[in-house]
Amino acid sequence: MTIRLSLAALALGLLFGLLGASAKVSDKRVPRLLGGFYTSVVRGVPETVWVLMMYFGTVSAMNAIGAWFGNPKLSLSPFVAGTFALALCFGAYATEVFRGALLAIPKGRKRPGRRWACPTCASSGASRCHSYGAWHSLAWATST
């Protein structure tokens, strides 16, 4: 049961994380605010509280919805409530991981005067290290 719950929460949490990250890196203001609100609120509340709120809160909400539709015994299984609560928590943390990965993707050369070079070759202005190849002792250098 634990493995099933973990895998279900992982799958749903990854989806929440991708949606949250895409909202946080959006050009529009409203998705950015919603993504920031989601991560701030969910990460600020302990997971145990989320699990209890999901289970007991949804039971009350499901009873109210069921009574409104004429079925007062409408309920949510503990497995689904736990899966959703853990996915919500995992998704908030995954949002920040995915956001960092999305921001790390280069979008062209941002500073054309900079390149990677060997410290010994950086002073000469060479783009590759002529004695050891391009992968030896890489350091950040500026070209002139």
Side-chain angles (χ1 to χ4, degrees):
M1 184 61 77
T2 302
I3 292 172
R4 286 187 1 199
L5 178 70
S6 299
L7 291 177
L10 175 72
L12 193 58
L14 287 174
L15 179 67
F16 288 165
L18 287 172
L19 291 174
S22 62
K24 286 190 83 163
V25 298
S26 174
D27 293 335
K28 295 182 175 36
R29 186 170 186 253
V30 173
R32 275 196 324 264
L33 289 174
L34 288 174
F37 180 77
Y38 166 63
T39 57
S40 297
V41 169
V42 173
R43 290 174 63 196
V45 176
E47 287 84 2
T48 307
V49 174
W50 280 112
V51 171
L52 292 173
M53 282 190 328
M54 278 302 156
Y55 181 68
F56 292 113
T58 56
V59 167
S60 300
M62 295 294 273
N63 286 336
I65 291 170
W68 193 46
F69 285 113
N71 185 5
K73 292 295 181 185
L74 190 63
S75 65
L76 183 69
S77 75
F79 181 82
V80 173
T83 299
F84 189 72
L86 292 177
L88 191 70
C89 295
F90 177 70
Y93 288 98
T95 294
E96 296 300 326
V97 172
F98 290 141
R99 182 191 59 85
L102 287 173
L103 291 178
I105 297 172
K107 292 183 172 67
R109 295 182 66 167
K110 294 181 183 175
R111 299 183 75 180
R114 302 189 86 145
R115 70 183 189 297
W116 288 100
C118 169
T120 57
C121 295
S123 59
S124 67
S127 61
R128 291 179 50 102
C129 178
H130 295 288
S131 53
Y132 294 104
W135 300 109
H136 124 83
S137 300
L138 293 176
W140 192 252
T142 57
S143 63
T144 56

